[in-house]
Amino acid sequence: MLVGGAGVLLGVAAVPAQAAEVSYRTECVPPPISGLPPVQGTTTVAVTAPAAAKVGEEVEVVWTFVQAASKNPDLVDLPANSVQPSGTLKAAGAQAADIAMRGPRENPPIPKGGAMVLSAMKGTLKLTTPGAVTLTPGAYAINAMSTDTKCAPQEAVQAAATINVTPADGGSGTSSPTPGPTGSGSPSPSPTGGPGPSGSPAPSGTPAPTTSGQTDFTGKEVQVPYKCKTPIGDKEATSPVQIDARRNGGSFDLTVRFKESVMDSPAEIPADSVKPSMEVVLGGADTGTVHVEGPTNAEPIKAGDPIEIPDLTGTYKPGASGESTLSPGVLTVEALGTTTTCTPAKTEVSLTLDTTQQPGGAAGGSSSGGSSSGGSAAGGSAGGSASGGGLAETGAEDDATLKALALVAGTAVLLGGAVFTFLPRRP
């Protein structure tokens, strides 16, 4: 096991650092998608901190994993720089505080069954009270390939370091404890997070037949609950999606946008390896679907770089006259020879258009393009009728946004980490 270096940032009067190790029984809970039960292991941690400092100083403390709770299971090789630890260090005694700790996403390649190699975590504590301040490791989480394994002590843990805090010369020593600079106040941060504000970019939902000269139509951003079938199992997620249109004769050029920012890539992704597409569902006066698709990734995506969902585009030729609705439909992601299909649990109307029937239009079937003349359009409107596709509304409380293609691609490169967890040590 690689033991990360431990440096300490001290105030002017702080004395050299001291470090101590503690071991404790640990239960680690794998990500739900893995289908694996909680497992038991032993964690050994070294905590480095200044032996003494003064009130008012902000000191840096370092948590080094001497031994993780277990090895990498025999499921997937973890690429270099794909694993990131975070956790909470408990300060007690003269001063009580939870110190948020986080390490960089730095690790060598870890083969199946290999020893887990976790980077050293750092955090800061502002000293407020004279006396002995003890530092004790608490719960921690390991993020690998966009999933979290959460680990918690199963016994009382001994203090790993003590800082002797003396009064500051002329200082009040009454500052409030300040957590570490990482901004993480939780020992088990979720890679997924909430769906974010939806905003209100859409215009009025009332069709306006007098806007015959209008060419661009902005849809309403809707939260779409997806039920995804991936090569490694089922997944539910909610994604904010918006459908916009531009009049092109009697047809409309559609653009489907995934509005939420996407996750960082958990591994190197080759160029031209991931391609998304969707079937936009028609309703109201019109029926059928419109196929839209996006380009493959033109450039390789480095591990740690953000993954962007490209705009999906296609052409809608109306098959009926009247008010026709457009809703996000089945999303398909092809990646490295695998296919993942995500079906909305319910219909969410993003855009309503005032359409004029065109020869060979979409009514009663599918449409992938075409152009003609005539037609008028109205602004986007909100909707939410039950889907006719056979999937009832589930009301799932999965508040994770659809984390772009890495969540749903279902490839070994992108989703192998979904089954990352700890396994008991073997003899």
Side-chain angles (χ1 to χ4, degrees):
M1 179 68 67
L2 176 66
V3 179
V8 179
L9 176 65
L10 303 179
V12 175
V15 301
Q18 44 89 29
E21 293 183 8
V22 294
S23 296
Y24 52 95
R25 295 195 308 274
T26 307
E27 180 180 75
C28 294
V29 179
I33 195 172
S34 71
L36 297 176
V39 294
Q40 308 297 320
T42 298
T43 302
T44 301
V45 172
V47 175
T48 305
K54 292 186 176 182
V55 168
E57 290 182 340
E58 186 173 79
V59 297
E60 184 178 79
V61 293
V62 180
W63 167 328
T64 301
F65 287 94
V66 178
Q67 175 182 294
S70 186
K71 295 182 179 180
N72 182 27
D74 297 325
L75 297 174
V76 62
D77 295 328
L78 296 176
N81 303 327
S82 63
V83 181
Q84 182 177 40
S86 60
T88 300
L89 192 66
K90 301 281 187 178
Q95 176 180 341
D98 288 344
I99 307 172
M101 308 293 291
R102 185 179 294 273
R105 198 176 292 275
E106 294 177 357
N107 61 276
I110 304 174
K112 302 181 189 72
M116 288 302 304
V117 181
L118 305 176
S119 63
M121 303 191 298
K122 297 182 180 181
T124 60
L125 173 67
K126 187 168 185 178
L127 303 173
T128 62
T129 308
V133 177
T134 61
L135 302 174
T136 303
Y140 63 94
I142 298 176
N143 181 271
M145 307 286 281
S146 79
T147 65
D148 282 322
T149 293
K150 301 178 182 180
C151 302
Q154 296 301 293
E155 62 179 325
V157 183
Q158 296 181 351
T162 301
I163 305 174
N164 293 313
V165 183
T166 57
D169 295 335
S172 64
T174 58
S175 300
S176 299
T178 302
T182 63
S184 172
S186 169
S188 55
S190 171
T192 59
S198 62
S200 55
S204 169
T206 302
T210 59
T211 59
S212 57
Q214 186 176 354
T215 58
D216 294 309
F217 308 94
T218 302
K220 177 182 175 64
E221 180 182 304
V222 292
Q223 301 293 327
V224 182
Y226 279 106
K227 299 169 76 72
C228 299
K229 297 288 186 181
T230 82
I232 63 170
D234 296 346
K235 178 68 179 177
E236 294 185 4
T238 299
S239 180
V241 184
Q242 179 176 318
I243 301 174
D244 297 334
R246 170 173 289 185
R247 188 172 59 183
N248 181 3
S251 300
F252 298 91
D253 294 330
L254 303 183
T255 300
V256 178
R257 310 178 195 276
F258 285 80
K259 302 298 292 296
E260 194 72 31
S261 61
V262 298
M263 62 167 281
D264 292 340
S265 173
E268 298 285 338
I269 301 177
D272 299 321
S273 60
V274 180
K275 183 175 180 62
S277 62
M278 177 186 285
E279 305 304 316
V280 175
V281 178
L282 301 175
D286 213 346
T287 58
T289 60
V290 179
H291 181 77
V292 294
E293 62 182 38
T296 59
N297 52 309
E299 302 292 336
I301 305 173
K302 297 180 180 180
D305 284 356
I307 298 176
E308 301 290 343
I309 299 183
D311 290 345
L312 311 182
T313 59
T315 301
Y316 165 43
K317 179 188 289 187
S321 298
E323 294 178 12
S324 300
T325 62
L326 289 81
S327 306
V330 175
L331 172 69
T332 302
V333 180
E334 297 178 354
L336 299 176
T338 69
T339 300
T340 290
T341 303
C342 296
T343 303
K346 63 177 180 178
T347 298
E348 293 287 355
V349 175
S350 175
L351 183 65
T352 297
L353 296 172
D354 187 4
T355 58
T356 300
Q357 182 179 3
Q358 303 296 309
S366 298
S367 172
S368 59
S371 63
S372 184
S373 62
S376 60
S381 66
S385 60
S387 172
L391 276 176
E393 181 176 353
T394 62
E397 292 299 323
D398 185 346
D399 63 351
T401 57
L402 187 62
K403 287 294 187 176
L405 309 181
L407 176 62
V408 298
T411 67
V413 172
L414 300 183
L415 282 177
V419 293
F420 168 78
T421 185
F422 289 103
L423 293 179
R425 286 186 172 274
R426 298 178 179 178

